[in-house]
Amino acid sequence: MREKKLLFIYNPCAGKGTMKSKLSDVIETFMHAEYEVTIYATQREREATELVMELGKNFHRIICSGGDGTLHEVTQGLMNMPPEERPVCGYIPTGTVNDFARGLNLPTRIRNAAKIAVTDKIKPMDIGLMNGEVFTYVAAFGAFTSVSYETPQTFKNLLGRAAYLLEGMGQVANIKSYPMTIQTGEERITDEFLFGMVSNAKSVGGFSFFKKGQVSLNDGKFEGIFIRKPKNPQELQAVINSFVTLKPNEQIIGVHSDSFIITSEQEVAYTLDGENGGSHKRVEIACCYRPIEYVCG
């Protein structure tokens, strides 16, 4: 008789809808691990958060499947639970980019990821708060940050990561910069920025911004990347080249810190894990040290 209970939440629209054809294999994998499985397919935004908050305490493990947005919602639900009631979280990535999954070393094949999700390879990971709102791996503002939630899902499904690039190309002519002050526990920076992000991930948007070994997902610190406004097209090209080659550039500021306060005179739009994070003149970003346990590859 199965005593372990598992809540499986999946987004049937994520990626190319591949979970639908693999669902039987995935459930069979869970049952072989002697779990009693309850399944929910999400139908609307924030439903995963609500399910976790309402039902999470009744389960030994929650496994979610979808893109970074689905994991964001599940993480938000877990953070809204009392710490002593939070179950372990497994993740089967089926989205377009799956940034956080890279940090967890999860495979892209669904059946393989399902097998890992029921193992005991568990690590506590840091989680971010921006003005009290939860994010799993990145809070960002400026150039291209709206692409992830403005790109239609059908477009993502057809073209994958190229959909983000094509959508982003249409925004090049409209890039804005913002006079801002960035305060961390170590330094204070005032300048005009066209992009910034505070992340806890080995890659963002599928691209790596830090060298191997520079990023840990549970060290109590986040990585900040801020790009100053280039003065001319040559400086802009140099910034782009530095991301490709991972070579330093004076227009790019990199900071490691457990907290960031970012202020501006005008409201600036932010994203949290690729979802709309609202517009703010002041944001306070804090790193929560290892509040949630995730299953890793």
Side-chain angles (χ1 to χ4, degrees), residues 35 44 52 60 73 77 79 84 116 123 134 177 182 184 196-197 203 208 218 226-227 233 255-256 258 262 282 287 291:
Y35 277 101
R44 54 181 173 81
V52 172
H60 299 92
E73 290 193 7
M79 288 294 287
E84 67 275 7
I116 288 174
K123 287 185 180 180
V134 173
S177 59
I182 300 163
T184 72
M197 71 173 186
S203 69
S208 298
N218 59 2
F226 304 96
I227 303 178
V255 184
H256 292 266
D258 60 359
I262 305 173
R282 175 187 172 94
C287 176

Side-chain angles (χ1 to χ4, degrees), residues 68-281:
D68 293 319
T70 301
L71 183 65
H72 169 87
E73 290 193 7
V74 169
T75 298
Q76 192 170 45
L78 289 168
M79 288 294 287
N80 287 336
M81 294 176 63
E84 67 275 7
E85 294 182 358
R86 291 174 190 152
V88 171
C89 182
Y91 180 36
I92 302 174
T94 56
T96 306
V97 178
N98 305 310
D99 282 312
F100 197 66
R102 296 170 187 265
L104 298 179
N105 296 317
L106 298 179
T108 55
R109 290 183 179 274
I110 290 176
R111 186 67 182 267
N112 292 343
K115 290 178 179 178
I116 288 174
V118 290
T119 67
D120 293 324
K121 297 177 182 178
I122 297 166
K123 287 185 180 180
M125 297 294 179
D126 298 337
I127 297 297
L129 291 176
M130 188 188 84
N131 291 356
E133 291 292 319
V134 173
F135 64 92
T136 309
Y137 74 97
V138 67
F141 69 83
F144 309 128
T145 52
S146 66
V147 169
S148 56
Y149 64 83
E150 290 181 352
T151 304
Q153 184 64 53
T154 51
F155 197 27
K156 295 179 190 178
N157 290 350
L158 285 171
L159 298 178
R161 189 187 303 177
Y164 292 111
L165 298 178
L166 290 171
E167 191 78 7
M169 286 170 63
Q171 296 189 12
V172 170
N174 300 316
I175 291 178
K176 294 176 62 177
S177 59
Y178 306 91
M180 306 179 101
T181 296
I182 300 163
Q183 178 74 56
T184 72
E186 296 77 25
E187 57 187 307
R188 179 184 179 91
I189 306 162
T190 299
D191 212 317
E192 196 166 348
F193 297 95
L194 58 83
F195 171 83
M197 71 173 186
V198 176
S199 69
N200 189 41
K202 295 180 179 178
S203 69
V204 176
F207 300 97
S208 298
F209 293 94
F210 295 94
K211 293 181 180 179
K212 186 176 182 180
Q214 284 187 316
V215 178
S216 170
L217 305 190
N218 59 2
D219 62 353
K221 288 192 175 185
F222 286 164
E223 288 66 45
I225 285 285
F226 304 96
I227 303 178
R228 293 187 175 100
K229 179 184 178 182
K231 298 181 181 63
N232 52 58
Q234 289 76 18
E235 285 192 356
L236 177 59
Q237 185 60 51
V239 167
I240 295 170
N241 291 344
S242 98
F243 277 118
V244 174
T245 62
L246 293 179
K247 292 181 178 179
N249 183 289
E250 62 181 13
Q251 298 300 115
I252 302 175
I253 300 170
V255 184
H256 292 266
S257 182
D258 60 359
S259 64
F260 296 78
I261 299 175
I262 305 173
T263 56
S264 58
E265 294 184 359
Q266 59 181 304
E267 289 197 341
V268 177
Y270 283 79
T271 66
L272 299 176
D273 297 337
E275 304 298 318
N276 191 341
S279 297
H280 310 272
K281 291 183 178 180

